[in-house]
Amino acid sequence: MKKTAKFLSLILSIMMVLSLAACGSGGSSSTKKNSAAAKTPYSDSPQDIDEIIKEMVNKYDLPELSKEDKNYTINLGYYNCDHMAAAAVGQYTGIYKALGMKVKVTGNGNVPEAMSAGKMDVGYVGYGTTLSAVKNNVPLFYAADNHIGGSYYLVVSNKIKDPKDLVGKKIGLGEDPQVNELDWVEWTQKLGIPTDGSNYKLYDMSDSDKFLAMKNGKLDAYVCCDPWASMAEYSKVGRILAESDPSTFQSGHGTCCKFTMNKNFAEAHPALAERMCLAHSLCIEFMYEHPYYAAEIFSTYYNVPMEVAMKTYWRKFCKEGRTIRWDLNEQYMENQINEMRRLGVRNDINDVSVSQVVDTQYMDNSGADNFDDFIKTNIDPVFPENISFKKFKAKAYAIDGVDADDVPEYSELEKKD
């Protein structure tokens, strides 16, 4: 495309957001910027990531950490799951370092096992996994929320035309889903197909391996988090047949995964525990305010196309509600356990009390913004929940001064240690 056409395209994108109120900070990337970029909703002009993080951190008058805390290396773990992308954002953007902490980030490790062994201090961990750990007297607790639920999918190959076609087929799903998988039980009831796993050929593997297996014709369906549902659609190897909808629970929304801490770490280093909670909130703020830059980081760390990364964020920030967040709602957690009890799922852990797994004192003392106020002021005017994916992308590009024609298929960033 000619340079003039590119320029006009960017200006049109930016004009979509000029009528919105200015409300915070801005973003940087390996992608080429257009030097003629106009005012964005977050700043007078697009910013480099370093500048954004500096502004975010400088809002806080933080006390100096002790020498011991400055020298302590915090071990943080997360899974290869889109819900937990804040860890990659914190590592790449330098948020942890800017807050004066040494943080070693490990992706795709056995996070709960490592935490229970005292080898990991903080982790992004699924709800059921943590309930199991606590029931087995592992010293873990939820310090903050991370994902309140949704964004869990039943993906089927293109040859599956009707839900009943799944009977007898190969599905990427753990054993005994009728007692282990809450969403599977709900989906099968709605789709009118057998719930008992004996009616299918089941294979247990990682989400990324499930996608590759379907792509190679070895699976007919699989259950996954994003980005592997969006990846199936992007690659045209399958489609989403059903997705989790915790809002249908009898008492309202459910829950998914949380920002979890080891009690021994938090009690020995309360200042670091509070600082990590603040970092968690800032990572999420960055993701909401700069979804394009966050998508570049996501594409780099998860090895998926930029389009998939952008759609993954759009689903969680807008289409499915503001499901990525740091404010912990204990009622949502109760709702999840009640639903598990009602359907006879995970009877081994659904008797755990929410009070046994929650301790919000570190987040409460961290100085983090109120989540609802942040959304109302900084996000609602720019990215309303009902925004289309097309408009979401256009605004994200405009905010960070990116020409849509310059966006690579895969991010050109490099992972940081």
Side-chain angles (χ1 to χ4, degrees):
M1 181 177 286
K2 293 182 180 180
K3 184 180 274 188
T4 301
K6 286 186 178 182
F7 176 80
L8 290 175
S9 175
L10 177 61
I11 291 299
L12 287 173
S13 295
I14 294 173
M15 287 177 67
M16 294 173 65
V17 293
L18 288 181
S19 62
L20 301 170
C23 47
S25 46
S28 159
S29 140
S30 62
T31 303
K32 182 175 117 181
K33 287 184 182 179
N34 189 312
S35 59
K39 186 176 180 180
T40 77
Y42 295 124
S43 64
D44 291 336
S45 62
Q47 297 174 286
D48 290 333
I49 287 178
D50 288 347
E51 294 174 348
I52 297 168
I53 302 309
K54 183 177 180 180
E55 286 189 6
M56 294 177 78
V57 172
N58 283 347
K59 291 191 308 180
Y60 299 90
D61 184 17
L62 298 173
E64 187 174 357
L65 293 170
S66 68
K67 183 178 180 180
E68 180 185 5
D69 284 347
K70 286 180 181 178
N71 293 327
Y72 184 84
T73 299
I74 302 166
N75 285 296
L76 168 68
Y78 71 101
Y79 302 161
N80 186 16
C81 170
D82 60 324
H83 309 160
M84 306 176 184
V89 168
Q91 182 178 38
Y92 184 84
T93 63
I95 285 175
Y96 303 127
K97 184 178 180 180
L99 290 171
M101 298 182 292
K102 292 181 179 180
V103 181
K104 180 182 178 182
V105 180
T106 302
N108 310 324
N110 294 321
V111 181
E113 294 84 354
M115 292 185 74
S116 63
K119 296 180 179 179
M120 195 163 284
D121 304 306
V122 187
Y124 290 84
V125 185
Y127 190 42
T129 304
T130 305
L131 291 180
S132 297
V134 171
K135 182 125 187 207
N136 288 298
N137 299 315
V138 177
L140 304 185
F141 68 93
Y142 294 131
D145 213 325
N146 178 62
H147 184 225
I148 60 172
S151 300
Y152 197 56
Y153 310 94
L154 172 60
V155 178
V156 298
S157 68
N158 295 325
K159 64 184 179 182
I160 301 297
K161 306 302 181 184
D162 184 274
K164 292 181 175 59
D165 295 340
L166 286 173
V167 178
K169 295 298 192 298
K170 298 177 181 178
I171 303 179
L173 180 63
E175 64 179 12
D176 298 324
Q178 67 275 9
V179 294
N180 289 320
E181 284 280 354
L182 177 60
D183 290 289
W184 172 258
V185 174
E186 293 185 321
W187 292 334
T188 53
Q189 290 181 356
K190 291 177 183 178
L191 296 171
I193 58 177
T195 298
D196 196 292
S198 63
N199 292 280
Y200 312 88
K201 298 174 183 176
L202 304 182
Y203 299 85
D204 193 7
M205 58 186 78
S206 70
D207 284 0
S208 57
D209 286 342
K210 292 174 186 175
F211 163 73
L212 292 174
M214 179 178 284
K215 187 175 182 180
N216 293 325
K218 299 184 183 300
L219 275 185
D220 301 294
Y222 60 83
V223 171
C224 69
C225 298
D226 238 359
W228 305 108
S230 295
M231 193 69 178
E233 292 186 334
Y234 175 83
S235 303
K236 296 181 172 56
V237 301
R239 71 185 191 283
I240 296 171
L241 179 64
E243 56 188 277
S244 57
D245 185 11
S247 63
T248 63
F249 286 1
Q250 290 182 335
S251 302
H253 217 294
T255 192
C256 179
C257 57
K258 303 281 173 275
F259 187 66
T260 306
M261 283 188 181
N262 187 298
K263 287 184 179 180
N264 297 329
F265 159 73
E267 290 173 359
H269 302 276
L272 288 180
E274 293 173 6
R275 196 73 55 98
M276 283 298 292
C277 287
L278 176 60
H280 172 60
S281 73
L282 293 182
C283 290
I284 293 176
E285 287 190 10
F286 180 90
M287 291 156 67
Y288 270 100
E289 290 191 328
H290 299 279
Y292 175 79
Y293 289 155
E296 279 207 306
I297 297 169
F298 192 99
S299 174
T300 298
Y301 281 71
Y302 288 72
N303 194 30
V304 296
M306 283 293 297
E307 185 80 356
V308 171
M310 289 291 292
K311 180 163 280 190
T312 294
Y313 278 128
W314 168 70
R315 289 186 192 279
K316 288 179 175 52
F317 296 166
C318 302
K319 182 178 183 293
E320 297 170 1
R322 315 301 191 184
T323 62
I324 297 289
R325 51 201 301 145
W326 61 85
D327 60 325
L328 201 152
N329 187 314
E330 293 187 30
Q331 185 58 57
Y332 288 171
M333 299 168 67
E334 291 281 5
N335 297 343
Q336 181 91 351
I337 291 179
N338 289 337
E339 187 75 350
M340 291 161 67
R341 291 171 183 159
R342 184 177 74 84
L343 294 174
V345 174
R346 294 304 306 271
N347 289 331
D348 58 322
I349 61 172
N350 64 24
D351 59 343
V352 176
S353 168
V354 169
S355 62
Q356 292 178 252
V357 295
V358 172
D359 186 349
T360 61
Q361 63 171 307
Y362 302 102
M363 176 56 83
D364 294 342
N365 295 331
S366 70
D369 291 337
N370 176 279
F371 179 81
D372 288 331
D373 290 345
F374 164 74
I375 292 295
K376 181 179 180 180
T377 303
N378 290 36
I379 307 305
D380 284 345
V382 186
F383 297 111
E385 288 190 39
N386 63 353
I387 192 171
S388 69
F389 179 51
K390 183 178 180 180
K391 290 182 178 179
F392 176 82
K393 283 198 302 181
K395 289 187 176 185
Y397 294 162
I399 286 168
D400 292 329
V402 177
D403 188 323
D405 293 319
D406 289 334
V407 177
E409 182 179 10
Y410 283 79
S411 173
E412 297 169 358
L413 302 178
E414 294 183 3
K415 287 185 180 180
K416 293 186 178 181
D417 296 326

